[in-house]
C-alpha cells in the first residue's frame, strides 16, 4: 500500500525495496546541521510539505532521456554555475548573465563536439555547502561556519541556524527557475538571432573573433536550412535548461520528494506507474563527503527517480564505485548516474584509469556518464590566504581526463564548472592574465573561487578546439558541413 495525496492505494511504485522518503533517518549521517529549535524545524518542513513541486516529473523524465544520449556518446553535458548560490543572486541580471554564458558556451561546444549539448545549471537551489568543521575562526573568534544561505547567513550576526531559511530557499529557487523559464520563452535562446547574445563583455579580440566565427558558422547553417525550408523547428527558438544542486540537506529534500505519476501513457491494460521524484531540482548530486554507501545520503538518493550525480575523488576506493552503482542504480538504467571525477590535475593519470576500468569492465559498462569537474581538486591558497584556482590547472585536468578516456576507450561525456556571468577576479590566469594581485579587485564568492564569464567562455573554446582537432585527425570534421 502507498499513499498518494493522503489516500491509501494499491498503485505500483517503481522504487527501491523498503525505501521511503524518510528511511535515511535510520542511517548514520554526515554534514547534518543540529538545529537548536526542533519545533521550528518541524514547522518549516511542514510548510514545505504543502508547497507545490518546484520542477515537474515530465521535465525530470525529459532530462533522463537526454542524459541517456550522453551516456551513449551522442551528446555532451555542460553543467555550471555558482559554488554556492546566495539569496541575493535571485535577480534578473544575475540569472540572465549565467544563462547567457551557458548558452554561449554550449554554442561553442556544439560546433566543436558535433553533438547536441545538454545544459544543467548549478542554479535555483544550490544554497547549501559542506564544511570541514561546524566552527571557524574569524578575527580571532570562534563562530559557526557559513554553511550556505539555506542554513545561515554569511554576516556574523546571522550565523545561527535558522529553519525558516528552508522555506526561503524554496521561494528563491522557484523565483530563479521562473526567471529562467521566462527568459527562454521570451526568445533569449533563439538561434535565429545568435548575435543578440551580446559580446560586449568579451574584450579580448582573439577570443571575440573565435566566438564570432562560431556564430558565423551557425548563421550560415541556419541560412541554408531556411533556404530549403527546414528552419521551422521549435527547437531552434528555445532550449532546455535544467537545474541541479547538491542534495546535502535531507530535511529539505525529503519535504520536496513526492509520489507522482510517471509522465507517460500506459499501454492498453497496463496500470499507471508512480515513482518518488525529488521535485526540488531536476538533477541531484552527492559530494565527496557524503557518498558513504551505508549512510543517509546514499540511502536517500537510491529511492528517487531523478538522475543522480556522484562526486569521485582521490579518496574514492575503486571497490566503492561498483557498490555505489549497484545501490543507486540496480536496474542499470542508462544515464541514471553521472560519475563526476575531481582529482586535481596532477593526480588524473594516477587515479582515473583504475576507476574507468572498474566500471567499464563490469555490468555497468555503457550505462554511466563520465563527467570531469576540474575545479575542486585544484583549489589553493595564495600568500595572502585567499583561496583561488589557476586557469591552467583547470584546463590541464580537463586535457588529462580527455586523454585518459581516449586511451581507455571510454567517453568523457561532460564537464562540471563553477562559474559566474559576472566579471569576478577569483581564479588566476586565462587570457586576462589575472595574478595574485588582481584577486582582491572583485572577489565576491563566500565559498570557492569561480571562473568569470571570460575565463569560462575561453575554457569552452579550448575544449571545443580539442574535439575539433581530434575530429580532423579522425577525418570526421566534414560531418558538420
Amino acid at each position: 500500500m502507498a499513499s498518494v495525496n493522503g489516500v491509501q492505494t494499491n498503485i505500483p511504485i517503481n522504487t527501491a525495496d523498503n525505501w521511503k522518503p524518510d528511511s535515511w533517518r535510520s542511517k548514520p549521517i554526515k554534514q547534518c546541521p543540529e538545529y537548536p529549535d526542533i519545533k521550528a524545524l518541524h514547522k518549516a518542513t511542514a510548510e514545505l510539505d504543502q508547497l507545490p513541486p518546484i520542477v515537474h516529473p515530465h521535465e525530470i523524465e525529459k532530462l533522463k532521456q537526454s542524459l541517456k544520449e550522453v551516456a551513449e556518446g551522442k551528446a555532451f553535458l555542460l553543467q555550471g554555475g555558482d559554488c554556492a548560490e546566495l539569496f541575493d543572486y535571485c535577480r534578473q541580471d544575475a540569472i540572465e548573465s549565467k544563462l547567457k554564458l551557458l548558452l554561449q558556451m554550449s554554442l561553442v561546444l556544439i560546433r566543436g563536439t558535433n553533438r547536441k549539448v545538454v545544459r544543467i545549471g548549478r542554479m535555483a537551489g544550490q544554497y547549501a555547502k559542506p564544511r570541514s568543521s561546524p566552527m571557524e575562526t574569524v578575527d580571532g573568534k570562534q563562530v559557526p561556519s557559513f554553511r550556505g544561505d539555506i542554513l545561515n547567513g554569511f554576516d556574523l550576526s546571522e550565523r545561527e541556524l535558522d529553519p525558516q531559511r528552508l522555506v526561503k530557499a524554496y521561494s528563491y529557487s522557484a523565483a530563479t527557475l521562473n526567471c529562467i523559464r521566462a527568459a527562454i520563452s521570451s526568445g533569449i535562446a533563439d538561434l535565429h538571432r545568435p548575435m543578440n547574445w551580446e559580446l560586449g563583455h568579451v574584450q579580448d579580440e582573439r577570443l571575440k573573433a573565435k566566438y564570432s566565427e562560431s556564430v558565423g558558422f551557425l548563421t550560415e547553417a541556419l541560412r541554408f536550412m531556411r533556404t530549403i525550408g527546414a528552419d521551422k523547428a521549435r527547437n531552434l527558438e528555445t532550449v532546455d535548461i535544467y537545474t541541479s544542486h547538491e542534495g546535502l540537506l535531507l530535511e529539505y529534500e525529503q519535504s520536496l520528494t513526492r509520489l507522482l505519476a510517471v509522465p507517460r501513457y500506459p499501454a492498453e491494460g497496463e496500470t499507471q506507474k508512480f515513482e518518488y521524484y525529488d521535485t526540488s531540482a531536476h538533477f541531484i548530486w552527492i559530494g565527496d563527503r557524503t557518498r558513504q554507501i551505508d549512510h543517509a545520503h546514499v540511502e536517500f538518493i537510491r529511492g528517487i527517480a531523478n538522475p543522480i550525480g556522484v562526486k569521485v575523488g582521490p579518496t574514492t576506493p575503486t571497490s566503492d564505485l561498483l557498490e555505489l552503482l549497484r545501490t543507486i542504480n540496480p536496474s542499470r538504467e542508462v544515464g541514471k548516474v553521472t560519475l563526476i571525477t575531481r582529482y586535481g590535475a596532477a593526480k588524473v593519470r594516477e587515479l582515473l584509469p583504475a576507476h574507468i576500468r572498474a566500471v567499464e569492465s563490469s555490468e555497468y559498462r555503457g550505462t554511466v556518464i563520465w563527467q570531469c569537474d576540474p575545479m575542486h581538486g585544484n583549489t589553493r591558497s595564495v600568500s595572502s590566504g585567499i583561496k583561488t584556482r589557476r586557469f591552467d590547472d583547470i584546463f590541464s585536468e580537463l586535457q588529462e581526463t580527455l586523454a585518459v578516456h581516449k586511451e581507455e576507450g571510454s567517453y568523457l561525456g561532460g564537464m562540471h564548472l563553477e562559474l559566474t556571468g559576472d566579471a569576478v577576479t577569483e581564479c588566476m590566469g586565462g587570457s586576462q592574465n589575472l595574478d595574485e594581485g588582481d584577486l582582491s579587485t572583485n572577489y565576491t564568492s563566500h565559498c570557492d573561487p569561480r571562473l568569470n564569464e571570460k575565463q569560462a567562455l575561453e575554457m569552452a573554446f579550448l575544449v571545443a578546439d580539442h574535439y575539433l582537432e581530434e575530429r580532423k585527425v579522425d577525418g570526421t570534421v566534414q560531418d558538420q558541413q
Side-chain angles (χ1 to χ4, degrees), residues 377-415:
N378 294 301
T379 307
R380 62 176 72 188
S381 294
V382 294
S383 56
S384 60
I386 297 175
K387 278 201 302 187
T388 188
R389 291 158 173 159
R390 292 187 182 277
F391 184 92
D392 288 348
D393 291 339
I394 296 167
F395 183 55
S396 176
E397 178 149 359
L398 273 165
Q399 280 183 307
E400 289 290 279
T401 303
L402 282 161
V404 170
H405 276 286
K406 185 170 185 181
E407 291 162 11
E408 296 294 329
S410 50
Y411 171 59
L412 178 64
M415 60 182 181

Side-chain angles (χ1 to χ4, degrees), residues 335-356:
K336 165 77 173 180
V337 177
T338 298
L339 296 177
I340 310 165
T341 61
R342 39 146 299 177
Y343 305 109
K347 295 180 179 178
V348 172
R349 287 197 169 273
E350 173 192 347
L351 300 169
L352 179 57
H355 284 155
I356 293 174

Side-chain angles (χ1 to χ4, degrees), residues 31 71 185 248 288 293 320 423:
Q31 298 290 325
S185 67
L248 189 65
D288 211 34
I293 292 163
D320 276 10

